[in-house]
Amino acid sequence: MKKLILLFITIAVVSCKQYPTPATIVITENKPVKQAKNIILMVGDGMGLTQISAGMYSNGNTLNLEKFPAVGLHKSYSADNLVTDSAAGATAFSCGIKTYNGAIGVNTDTLPVQTILEEAELKGLATGLVATSSIVHATPASFVAHSRYRKLHEDIAADFLKTEVDYWVGGGKAFFSNRENDERDLYKELRAKGYTVSDYFEQDFEEVNTNVKGNFAFFTANKEPLPKAQGRDYLVKAASEGVRFLDKHDEEDKGFFMMIEGSQIDWGGHANKTDYIISELLEFNEAIGKVLAFAKQDGETLVVVTADHETGGFAINPGSTMDTIVGAFTSDYHTATMIPVFAYGPGSELFNGIYENTAIYHKMRSAYGWTGLE
Ligand code: MG
Ligand code: ZN
């Protein structure tokens, strides 16, 4: 009988295949936390410690990340795999849950879970998304959409009509205005809701003037934007203007939530290309500099910079110098190493230490002073 029970338990554990998650401790020692009015979460997709090191050495031994007073590490694994993908990784930040790889804003039962961006909208804050991938790609999608599978790009695009993201810039025009699975024209629908919608085909993002009164959506590519090294050049402007847009957008002045992604650091890792990783990371670094300058001046803005996971099993091998990084890779996929987290501004002290990736969601809510789960 004992053997039978043991067998049964073994089967149950194996079939469940989820990793144990320790309970999340939100505020330690009951110390009051200075509240943030605005939160800017910056995600360098695939940006592990080696990617950061390579970027720093290549940049004259300096990065804006050195200006962050609080540094922590998060455990990036998902509900069904020690090696997460970007969908489960971003859903951990946006919803505070471990879910399966491929899941966009849904739990392990494929049920939708409210995101921090949706909660911010409900509370009257302004919200924004900026990415150097398409806007329906896993990382930005996980803040606004709910889909059982990350590749359902047209479904994900339609979710942008359900939650009012006030400002967004990224690729993916085709999933809105040239859809294959239905006849909907999401440009038309967004304009009917008061959005100014424009794209790379109509004008260069460099020349765009944003009116802070209405909502703003700009598409930088039909599907995926080019690498920085091939001429893509909008992240820094989209980040710095986006922050100012959201700051002035809301008449009630309730604050804002924004997610800015350096999407292609990950693609450099998948391609096992050191130069690709470094050029993407240095553009992201420049965007961090702009955001940090805003936060410094504002005084009420929490900036959190992290990654969803590491990509490539990237190493800086012997023979490297600061100017010439000799990169090596163990994989063309993601790895499960812990990921650094950098925080600046009110509530930044919450981000010291080692914790689950899901804790970032809870720490951001604590920094806003939000209590209870809605
Ligand atoms: Mg991504
Ligand atoms: Zn990836």
Side-chain angles (χ1 to χ4, degrees):
M1 188 63 189
K2 254 188 184 167
K3 261 185 188 166
L4 199 68
I5 289 170
L6 194 67
L7 182 72
F8 184 74
I9 289 170
T10 308
I11 289 167
V13 167
V14 168
S15 65
C16 192
K17 214 191 163 193
Q18 293 197 359
Y19 294 96
T21 307
T24 302
I25 298 157
V26 176
I27 297 176
T28 47
E29 297 159 24
N30 288 324
K31 272 187 203 156
V33 171
K34 202 176 161 221
Q35 281 186 14
K37 181 178 164 194
N38 313 310
I39 297 181
I40 304 166
L41 173 64
M42 302 185 74
V43 178
D45 199 310
M47 186 182 72
L49 198 50
T50 314
Q51 282 79 357
I52 293 169
S53 308
M56 181 184 69
Y57 294 140
S58 308
N59 194 45
N61 195 23
T62 181
L63 282 181
N64 286 316
L65 291 174
E66 293 171 74
K67 297 172 186 162
F68 286 68
V71 181
L73 293 167
H74 79 68
K75 308 180 198 179
S76 64
Y77 65 91
S78 70
D80 70 340
N81 203 314
L82 193 64
V83 176
T84 190
D85 81 329
S86 295
T91 300
F93 302 153
S94 66
C95 301
I97 55 159
K98 296 265 185 191
T99 190
Y100 61 93
N101 285 4
I104 301 288
V106 298
N107 65 18
T108 49
D109 296 323
T110 72
L111 296 172
V113 177
Q114 188 183 60
T115 73
I116 191 164
L117 185 148
E118 289 169 325
E119 188 176 0
E121 271 295 328
L122 284 175
K123 287 182 156 73
L125 281 74
T127 58
L129 291 173
V130 169
T132 52
S133 64
S134 68
I135 205 72
V136 296
H137 209 272
T139 312
S142 297
F143 286 82
V144 62
H146 304 279
S147 178
R148 65 180 166 78
Y149 183 47
R150 57 183 286 170
K151 292 283 161 74
L152 300 173
H153 292 133
E154 291 190 6
D155 290 356
I156 290 167
D159 277 0
F160 278 77
L161 272 297
K162 293 180 188 158
T163 299
E164 192 192 311
V165 183
D166 304 270
Y167 178 98
W168 85 73
V169 179
K173 168 183 161 73
F175 308 113
F176 289 77
S177 68
N178 191 18
R179 293 161 65 85
E180 289 171 1
N181 300 332
D182 63 32
E183 299 294 305
R184 289 175 71 179
D185 177 352
L186 302 189
Y187 268 33
K188 214 171 156 185
E189 292 184 34
L190 285 166
R191 282 173 180 145
K193 286 183 76 176
Y195 276 82
T196 299
V197 186
S198 184
D199 61 51
Y200 70 100
F201 204 71
E202 292 172 2
Q203 57 187 324
D204 197 54
F205 185 66
E206 278 303 309
E207 276 131 44
V208 173
N209 282 314
T210 44
N211 174 2
V212 296
K213 288 286 169 249
N215 291 343
F216 177 80
F218 189 92
F219 294 93
T220 56
N222 196 43
K223 286 190 175 167
E224 298 306 332
L226 291 171
K228 165 79 175 148
Q230 290 174 32
R232 187 201 71 239
D233 196 19
Y234 66 82
L235 177 64
V236 176
K237 179 179 165 166
S240 59
E241 290 202 353
V243 165
R244 278 177 178 79
F245 177 97
L246 294 174
D247 186 44
K248 295 198 188 82
H249 181 62
D250 182 24
E251 275 167 14
E252 287 176 67
D253 204 23
K254 286 186 177 167
F256 65 81
F257 175 82
M258 187 180 197
M259 195 289 296
I260 300 168
E261 186 195 23
S263 318
Q264 297 194 28
I265 301 166
D266 175 61
W267 302 357
H270 283 287
N272 283 186
K273 286 191 173 146
T274 302
D275 288 353
Y276 193 175
I277 291 169
I278 290 172
S279 56
E280 295 296 325
L281 194 129
L282 293 185
E283 183 195 33
F284 190 53
N285 178 58
E286 220 183 303
I288 292 168
K290 297 284 186 192
V291 167
L292 213 48
F294 169 84
K296 208 166 195 172
Q297 189 186 30
D298 179 67
E300 296 181 288
T301 301
L302 168 66
V303 184
V304 180
V305 185
T306 189
D308 43 4
H309 53 72
E310 194 276 341
T311 306
F314 187 33
I316 298 173
N317 262 14
S320 297
T321 64
M322 283 213 190
D323 297 327
T324 316
I325 301 295
V326 180
F329 298 87
T330 62
S331 170
D332 62 3
Y333 192 59
H334 311 154
T335 69
T337 185
M338 286 198 290
I339 296 297
V341 184
F342 305 84
Y344 176 96
S348 58
E349 66 274 19
L350 290 169
F351 293 83
N352 288 314
I354 299 180
Y355 40 83
E356 297 292 331
N357 56 357
T358 48
I360 290 172
Y361 164 87
H362 295 287
K363 290 172 192 296
M364 289 192 296
R365 287 189 85 259
S366 294
Y368 271 136
W370 297 351
T371 51
L373 279 178
E374 292 174 32

